[in-house]
Amino acid sequence: DAVDTPSSASSTPEESPSMKALLLFTRPEGILTVSQAVEIAEVPKPVVSSNSLVIQIQAAAMSLEDLYTAIGRRPLLHISPTPTNPVIPGIDFVGRVADDAAAASCKDFKAGDVVMGCLPPVRVRHGTWAQYLVISPNNITKVPTNWTRSQAAAFGMSALVAHAAIQIVFPENTTTTRKQVLVGVVGASGCIGSLIVMLLAHKGAHVVAVCSEENSTFCKEQLGASHVATRESGGLACYRANDEGRNDKRPLDYVIDCVGGNRVEQDAAKALKKGGHFITTVGHGPEPFGEGASGGIGRGAVMAAKALRSRMVGDYSYTLVSASPFGIASKLENMANQVNQCTDGKGPPMRTNTVAANDMIAVREALDSVAKHTSGGRVILDFSVFDE
């Protein structure tokens, strides 16, 4: 699982007019049908443009966001595939700079450099589930020493979203010490949640991690959570109650939701203090607003309505955070440095499962597990198998 190093990689890949990629030729009807819609095929290798780099992909991450984008639940990002103009999914990746000529125009990178990054949150037809990718150097950073390929592949978008959430609790330019801030993180053992828990704890916050009983030790011992409220024991809904049912714990200043759905917000309202802040990295579920609320205008309207209602009825603030398309490289580098400070340079303690990108049975099973929330960690597609 080690990342290829420049010394072990050739300066340029073997020239080829085509490459292998995972493709969508039609739009799946739902996330449970994405697995049957994805196909492996040979497509033209992308051509480098000005101020861009060719990256030979070593591994790419598979996430629920990829599936939602594929079915059109993220209309600002979705492009409808057609049989003659398919779409390559994927956002996150790790790979190496593969083109000498292109690298020569980018002072910060050279051919052979191992980099990680993610596509910006805009519409793209050519994603990361392929052997090669053309991308701006503004969207990548070098992989730190000692990080594994899986850690680097899973880092990009998760780090950007975690950065946005953490900024609300601990703004970069704040001069106020907030050592006693109390934060609940729902979905604490996932890729985004684990980064949030670890970095907030490192900054001095008291973190209540909401996760399964199976992951409680991971959240306390590896991430540094002060307290774990397992889903099996009621999570945030029962966090403040003692054995006699009385609320004897201090209410939370913030709740950061990395799972989504209306139930999470309802439970958070029971644990938040008056004037507290509910931050979601995911957003609402379809109920009670209806399926039309998943569209771009509908989603925005629901978020605005929830923010207003939370202040008027719930006495707490409501914020949806997402990755910004600006400053990606610097944010990734900053987050990687923070992670290394927490882990003595060992990289993020993310749980990952690697699947060979040329094994379509395993790829489809992995897609189904992501759709059903049973993957047990971030799925990593290994594209180095095509180079063997």
Side-chain angles (χ1 to χ4, degrees), residues 144-230:
T145 304
N146 297 328
W147 283 34
T148 67
R149 182 180 297 175
S150 296
Q151 287 174 318
F155 190 67
M157 190 57 67
S158 294
L160 295 181
V161 175
H163 177 273
I166 292 169
Q167 285 299 292
I168 296 178
V169 182
F170 285 97
E172 283 184 353
N173 297 324
T174 185
T175 58
T176 305
T177 301
R178 310 194 69 191
K179 296 294 185 182
Q180 298 303 314
V181 67
L182 188 57
V183 187
V185 180
V186 184
S189 62
C191 279
I192 297 174
S194 61
L195 288 173
I196 292 173
V197 172
M198 182 175 64
L199 295 180
L200 285 180
H202 186 70
K203 292 175 183 290
H206 294 274
V207 181
V208 177
V210 180
C211 61
S212 66
E213 183 69 40
E214 178 185 1
N215 294 318
S216 59
T217 301
F218 168 74
C219 289
K220 287 204 75 170
E221 296 184 0
Q222 294 194 47
L223 302 182
S226 304
H227 181 87
V228 173
T230 64

